[in-house]
Amino acid sequence: MNINSLRSFKWVSGGLALFILTVLVLLPLLLIFWTSIYPNEQLDIAAPLRTIMSSHDLVEVLLNSIGLGVSVILLTTLFALPLAWIMAKTDLGHHNWLDVVLLIPFMTPPYIGSMGWMLFMQTGGYMEQFLPASSVLTPYFFSYGGMVLIMSLHLFPFLYLLLRNALLQIGGNLEEAASVHGAPFFYRFKRVIIPLLLSSYGLGALLIFVKTIAEFGTPATFGRRIGFYVLTSEIHKYISSWPIDFGKATSLASLLLGVCLVMWYIQTLISSRFSYLLIGGKGTRTKRYKSTGIVGVLSWGYVVLLLLASIGIPYFSIITASLLKLRGEGVSWSNLTLKHYAELLSPGSQGLEALLNSFTLAIVASSIAVILGTWFALTVGKGATFKQKITDLFSLLPNTVPGIVIVVGLILLWNARWMPIPLYNTYWMVVLTYVVLFIPYTVQYVKASYGQIDSSLMQAGQVFGGSKLYVFRRILLPLILPGMVAGWMMTFTISNRELVASLLILPPSMQTSATYIFAQFEQGAVAMGMAMAVISVGVTTILLLVLEYLSPDRKRRQR
């Protein structure tokens, strides 16, 4: 293949990738804006805002969403900042297994964690069975504060990782310089540590805010219980409940998207204002305090309490509920059974069908996403042309936009009367939705792997007579395979637990494990729903561990 042919191929491949991303990602979002500003076949740019302001309930919903996002940021900060300091500045950070355990809350589907907390704290729940006097706490928990607590316990690992990595980069020399000049600990923390953390904290706080106002599972379970409604639950109501009102749904979706874009702009300003160079030629030296005495007691106590609240209580409730014969008889050895698991996994049961649907949908969507994501990542490559930057932006856009907004846009696009492809309300519509929502993971992982490869390796293969296909198969593919495997695993995990897209997109009479759990909990069949949760999370975890064991990256690390 000569140089001109190669350039022509790359140009066509890049153009096709950009076209596909435009159709899959950008067009659905544009349709949301167009539908919201073109009601009754008349252009009205202020229509979305007028729709919100004309209803007191919708204004309250908007304020609820923004207030919830800010409150979760504050409580998440209280959880994550001390934990990040403990893991970065004390010798507890040498316990690598803690980092793995601390990711469990984030990998747990939020609606399952919410259900676990509700079972534990409700009237007659597990806490009251063990400590009857604790019933006085129930009204305080089933409130706005309880909802903030549940969502913060789910999201704090995300902020913790960002802050811990930032603290490790700061090193101990800066603190020591301030200490030499007589600065006490809290003064050093206020004048040295906090300013250097602001850039990373701004990004983490933004992502926490976006994930909070985009979350559907917790508002749909706990929020409905306490009568607290947010934008995502209202969008779902207008699309899934009669009478269907796409006008209000698109107005709320466009407003939700606008709030997220404003937050992205604010974060950009914060990052540009508080960015510092912390890594230089002299390197950095991290100062760690010994976790002995009062420091050790407080550090270990804080970590244990946080793990107990974020993992212990929800999973205790989930597993216990799945084993109870009768909920009214309480927790006792004579009231435990495995019959719910046997019924769930019996041939022909709705539960087994839902479980198989989840895994087949996740496997198919992950496989398609890893192929497309690898293509997009290689198209973007290391270049800096305008087309490559736009392709990169479009490929990562679903990761920065609330999922329910993308889903609404996909419904508008593929259910339009002018759409020639009858994809809506089919199995493949679900696959397409999962692919669009989670393709950024493969793009990010493959880009990270590809960015570390020196182009001289491919050039050497060509010099020694290797064809483009041979170089790709024997040199490039093995080097980017770890990124592809990581992207596949992440897409599979999140697709398998996806709730809001499944509720809105699934064809009639088709269920996944997520919708099955949600439906059983709503209908009062808690034991069956929790058994499904245990099986779904357990099987997914085992599969991911097997893939990690077989991954080429792990084998290379062992050599």
Side-chain angles (χ1 to χ4, degrees):
M1 184 180 289
N2 57 42
I3 295 178
N4 291 332
S5 299
L6 180 61
R7 289 177 178 173
S8 177
F9 174 78
K10 288 184 177 180
W11 188 88
V12 173
S13 176
L16 183 59
L18 184 58
F19 173 76
I20 291 175
L21 284 170
T22 300
V23 173
L24 293 181
V25 179
L26 184 61
L27 190 55
L29 295 178
L30 292 177
L31 273 177
I32 290 177
F33 277 118
W34 179 253
T35 305
S36 63
I37 66 174
Y38 199 74
N40 303 319
E41 299 184 353
Q42 290 183 346
L43 182 64
D44 185 358
I45 297 178
L49 192 59
R50 188 179 296 111
T51 300
I52 302 296
M53 295 303 175
S54 63
S55 172
H56 174 74
D57 292 338
L58 293 182
V59 173
E60 183 179 358
V61 166
L62 173 61
L63 296 177
N64 284 348
S65 295
I66 297 175
L68 182 64
V70 174
S71 299
V72 171
I73 288 175
L74 295 176
L75 189 55
T76 302
T77 303
L78 291 178
F79 290 153
L81 184 57
L83 181 64
W85 189 89
I86 290 171
M87 297 300 291
K89 298 297 183 180
T90 73
D91 55 11
L92 262 69
H94 295 311
H95 297 281
N96 295 330
W97 60 270
L98 277 175
D99 277 335
V100 177
V101 175
L102 287 167
L103 286 178
I104 293 177
F106 187 66
M107 298 304 294
T108 302
Y111 57 92
I112 292 180
S114 174
M115 293 173 183
W117 267 102
M118 291 170 67
L119 292 171
F120 190 81
M121 296 295 298
Q122 66 186 359
T123 302
Y126 302 128
M127 187 177 71
E128 282 192 20
Q129 293 179 35
F130 294 115
L131 297 171
S134 63
S135 60
V136 297
L137 299 176
T138 301
Y140 297 100
F141 177 78
F142 285 92
S143 63
Y144 174 78
M147 188 170 178
V148 172
L149 174 66
I150 291 174
M151 301 186 79
S152 299
L153 288 172
H154 169 67
L155 291 172
F156 83 87
F158 193 86
L159 185 60
Y160 151 71
L161 287 176
L162 287 172
L163 295 179
R164 187 206 60 179
N165 292 338
L167 284 170
L168 289 174
Q169 289 183 349
I170 291 173
N173 53 336
L174 297 176
E175 283 189 85
E176 290 176 355
S179 181
V180 166
H181 287 81
F185 172 77
F186 287 105
Y187 184 86
R188 298 197 306 268
F189 188 80
K190 181 179 68 172
R191 300 302 300 269
V192 177
I193 301 297
I194 289 181
L196 295 176
L197 283 179
L198 278 178
S199 179
S200 296
Y201 177 76
L203 176 60
L206 164 71
L207 294 175
I208 294 295
F209 181 86
V210 171
K211 289 181 179 295
T212 299
I213 66 173
E215 173 57 38
F216 171 77
T218 302
T221 52
F222 192 90
R224 186 183 303 175
R225 172 79 173 264
I226 64 174
F228 187 86
Y229 301 102
V230 294
L231 287 172
T232 51
S233 57
E234 290 300 289
I235 293 172
H236 176 263
K237 182 184 74 173
Y238 287 126
I239 293 179
S240 61
S241 303
W242 187 262
I244 293 175
D245 192 338
F246 268 101
K248 286 186 177 179
T250 54
S251 295
L252 292 175
S254 61
L255 190 62
L256 181 59
L257 180 58
V259 171
C260 292
L261 293 177
V262 170
M263 290 300 296
W264 272 110
Y265 178 72
I266 294 174
Q267 185 272 329
T268 303
L269 294 179
I270 293 175
S271 297
S272 61
R273 173 65 178 84
F274 296 98
S275 293
Y276 303 95
L277 296 176
L278 298 175
I279 300 178
K282 296 182 179 180
T284 57
R285 178 172 53 84
T286 300
K287 177 183 178 182
R288 291 186 182 272
Y289 299 91
K290 293 288 186 181
S291 56
T292 57
I294 188 65
V295 174
V297 171
L298 292 176
S299 299
W300 276 110
Y302 185 81
V303 172
V304 170
L305 286 175
L306 200 55
L307 290 177
L308 181 65
S310 59
I311 301 174
I313 290 176
Y315 275 96
F316 170 81
S317 300
I318 293 166
I319 296 173
T320 302
S322 70
L323 296 173
L324 291 181
K325 294 178 184 177
L326 297 172
R327 292 174 59 193
E329 293 188 6
V331 181
S332 63
W333 288 111
S334 61
N335 195 32
L336 301 181
T337 181
L338 293 174
K339 71 173 185 178
H340 304 300
Y341 291 92
E343 182 180 345
L344 190 67
L345 298 176
S346 61
S349 67
Q350 289 185 354
L352 182 60
E353 184 179 352
L355 191 64
L356 293 176
N357 285 339
S358 283
F359 284 116
T360 54
L361 284 167
I363 289 172
V364 173
S366 302
S367 302
I368 295 175
V370 79
I371 294 172
L372 290 177
T374 302
W375 176 27
F376 297 151
L378 295 180
T379 299
V380 173
K382 305 173 186 178
T385 66
F386 177 76
K387 186 167 67 174
Q388 288 173 320
K389 290 181 178 179
I390 293 295
T391 303
D392 190 25
L393 173 64
F394 288 176
S395 66
L396 300 179
L397 196 58
N399 211 19
T400 59
V401 174
I404 196 169
V405 175
I406 295 283
V407 174
V408 171
L410 290 172
I411 292 174
L412 292 175
L413 175 62
W414 295 99
N415 194 34
R417 286 177 292 182
W418 46 264
M419 174 57 67
I421 305 175
L423 198 63
Y424 184 73
N425 216 17
T426 66
Y427 176 94
W428 291 104
M429 181 66 189
V430 186
V431 172
L432 174 69
T433 303
Y434 288 171
V435 169
V436 173
L437 286 175
F438 308 125
I439 203 171
Y441 295 107
T442 299
V443 175
Q444 288 175 320
Y445 285 124
V446 174
K447 273 179 58 184
S449 297
Y450 184 67
Q452 298 173 351
I453 301 173
D454 194 329
S455 58
S456 61
L457 291 174
M458 273 72 74
Q459 294 171 1
Q462 296 173 14
V463 166
F464 285 94
S467 64
K468 285 289 182 182
L469 181 60
Y470 183 87
V471 171
F472 174 80
R473 181 169 58 89
R474 297 302 300 271
I475 299 178
L476 181 59
L477 185 59
L479 292 174
I480 64 173
L481 191 58
M484 295 174 64
V485 172
W488 192 96
M489 291 168 59
M490 183 63 73
T491 304
F492 175 83
T493 301
I494 302 180
S495 298
N496 196 51
R497 78 183 203 186
E498 175 58 34
L499 178 62
V500 63
S502 302
L503 287 173
L504 295 176
I505 297 292
L506 280 177
S509 73
M510 184 179 181
Q511 284 187 311
T512 62
S513 59
T515 59
Y516 181 89
I517 295 169
F518 187 78
Q520 296 302 311
F521 195 82
E522 290 291 294
Q523 296 167 10
V526 176
M528 292 297 294
M530 295 300 98
M532 173 65 85
V534 173
I535 292 174
S536 180
V537 173
V539 173
T540 302
T541 302
I542 292 172
L543 180 59
L544 293 179
L545 289 175
V546 171
L547 288 174
E548 172 65 17
Y549 179 79
L550 298 176
S551 68
D553 191 48
R554 177 184 178 276
K555 294 180 179 178
R556 185 161 46 248
R557 291 196 303 264
Q558 290 179 338
R559 293 194 184 110

